[in-house]
């Protein structure tokens, strides 16, 4: 049964993705606000409407939407809403939700070069298209306005925006100081660690963002905010936020050092390390497993614990 709690209603929406259900939230403010939407499927729309009905609401009662990030499981369902509905989020959502031809081209070039750098064999070239976001379940939408660090969204004067890039470059959370409630998107989840997904360079940049390093910085940023609990994008609420962040950082450190051990006896490319870390999953989930693997190298390079050499465009890492 869906109900209001602290002026917030949590909906659970099915997705076609391995992650399972996604959570979206209706927040009472000066404007009735939907935080995230769900994927673009009939099933998701029915689940959403059913839960709205339990609150005696209809889709037309929603006055605005705020996106925690651009991923299809959070944004796709927007295509089912009126085109006039106002949608807000970080400016980096825009290149994914309303991709220009130039950005699509940029993605292709970026991933092609990355495949060589990572030592991914030619037979996996077809995955370049898979690395680009699957647009089947996402929306075609332009944001009404952008949100950035410290902003107070229109119609939600109790809430403040916290930028938390890492899992996505567009990622934000919303914090309500009076009771310490934080709506965190996929930044902090109860049972899984979000993937630090590789994205093309940000506008005006030439290097890809080091997603895991950003993610860790964004985690540490939350340590300074008195958060009572987190309403997260998947699964249960997260309590004891600081403990959970410290544990996450510790596990991350251990994971990277497992990779470092290998590099002490031989040099490896990202692809070779990926096959070892994910012997079964890498063929099916190349994009996620490669993101997770390169994250370990970025982490160790940042600590100056490993080095790299460029051999004809392919990077080999060694300790
Ligand atoms: Zn996500």
């Amino acid at each position: 049964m869906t109900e209001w709690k602290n002026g917030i209603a949590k909906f659970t929406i099915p997705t076609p993705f391995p992650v399972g259900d996604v959570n979206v939230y209706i927040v009472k403010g000066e404007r009735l606000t939907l935080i995230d939407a769900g994927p673009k499927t009939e099933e998701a729309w029915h689940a959403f409407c059913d839960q709205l009905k339990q609150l005696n609401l209809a889709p037309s009662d929603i006055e605005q939407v705020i996106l925690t990030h651009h991923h299809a499981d959070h944004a796709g369902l927007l295509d089912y809403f009126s085109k006039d509905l106002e949608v807000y989020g970080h400016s980096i959502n825009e290149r994914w939700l309303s991709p220009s031809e130039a950005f699509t081209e940029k993605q292709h070039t970026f991933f092609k070069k990355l495949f060589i750098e990572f030592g991914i064999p030619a037979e996996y070239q077809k995955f370049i298209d898979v690395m680009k976001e699957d647009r089947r379940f996402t929306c075609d939408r332009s944001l009404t306005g952008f949100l950035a660090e410290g902003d107070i969204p229109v119609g939600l004067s109790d809430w403040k925006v916290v930028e938390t890039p890492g899992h996505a470059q567009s990622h934000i959370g919303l914090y309500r100081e009076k009771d310490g409630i934080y709506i965190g998107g996929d930044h902090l989840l109860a049972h899984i660690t979000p993937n630090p997904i590789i994205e093309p360079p940000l506008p005006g940049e030439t290097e890809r963002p080091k997603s895991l390093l950003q993610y860790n910085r964004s985690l540490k940023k939350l340590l300074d905010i008195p958060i009572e609990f987190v309403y997260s994008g998947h699964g249960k609420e997260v309590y004891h936020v600081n403990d959970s962040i410290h544990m996450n950082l510790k596990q991350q450190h251990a994971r990277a050092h497992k990779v470092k051990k290998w590099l002490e006896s031989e040099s490896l490319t990202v692809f070779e390390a990926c096959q070892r870390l994910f012997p079964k999953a890498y063929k099916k989930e190349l994009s996620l497993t490669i993101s997770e693997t390169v994250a370990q190298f970025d982490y160790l390079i940042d600590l100056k614990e490993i080095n790299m050499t460029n051999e004809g465009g392919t990077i080999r890492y060694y300790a």
Side-chain angles (χ1 to χ4, degrees), residues 151-191:
D151 282 354
I152 294 167
V154 181
L156 278 191
S157 58
D158 282 347
W159 297 81
K160 215 181 222 173
V161 173
V162 183
E163 287 189 8
T164 50
H167 169 62
Q169 295 304 309
S170 59
H171 209 290
I172 60 164
L174 290 165
Y175 177 63
R176 188 163 69 183
E177 199 177 358
K178 69 172 186 193
D179 55 8
I181 291 180
Y182 186 71
I183 299 181
D186 286 356
H187 187 48
L188 205 57
L189 306 170
H191 302 295

Side-chain angles (χ1 to χ4, degrees), residues 156-301:
L156 278 191
S157 58
D158 282 347
W159 297 81
K160 215 181 222 173
V161 173
V162 183
E163 287 189 8
T164 50
H167 169 62
Q169 295 304 309
S170 59
H171 209 290
I172 60 164
L174 290 165
Y175 177 63
R176 188 163 69 183
E177 199 177 358
K178 69 172 186 193
D179 55 8
I181 291 180
Y182 186 71
I183 299 181
D186 286 356
H187 187 48
L188 205 57
L189 306 170
H191 302 295
I192 44 169
T193 313
N195 192 293
I197 295 176
I198 298 171
E199 285 187 36
L202 293 166
E205 306 266 331
T206 51
E207 292 281 311
R208 67 177 168 85
K210 305 290 188 289
S211 310
L212 180 67
L213 303 183
Q214 283 180 318
Y215 177 72
N216 289 345
R217 277 196 295 275
S218 296
L219 272 185
K220 288 177 190 159
K221 190 173 170 183
L222 295 193
L223 291 174
D224 298 330
I225 304 173
I227 294 172
E228 198 51 39
F229 68 90
V230 179
Y231 275 125
S232 68
H234 302 276
K236 291 201 170 79
E237 285 71 65
V238 182
Y239 295 89
H240 311 293
V241 174
N242 286 15
D243 290 350
S244 143
I245 290 172
H246 287 303
M247 193 159 80
N248 187 315
L249 292 168
K250 223 169 111 184
Q251 283 169 349
Q252 166 51 48
H253 193 75
R255 204 175 306 141
H257 280 80
K258 180 176 149 189
V259 174
K260 192 193 168 186
K261 270 257 161 316
W262 297 338
L263 299 178
E264 281 164 1
S265 51
E266 61 186 313
S267 73
L268 292 174
T269 64
V270 172
F271 184 68
E272 287 162 352
C274 182
Q275 286 175 303
R276 287 196 192 182
L277 277 172
F278 307 99
K280 287 205 182 97
Y282 83 92
K283 279 188 181 162
K284 241 173 70 194
E285 292 286 350
L286 191 67
S287 135
L288 293 178
T289 56
I290 281 283
S291 288
E292 190 65 44
T293 308
V294 74
Q296 311 310 318
F297 288 145
D298 288 346
Y299 183 85
L300 292 165
I301 287 278

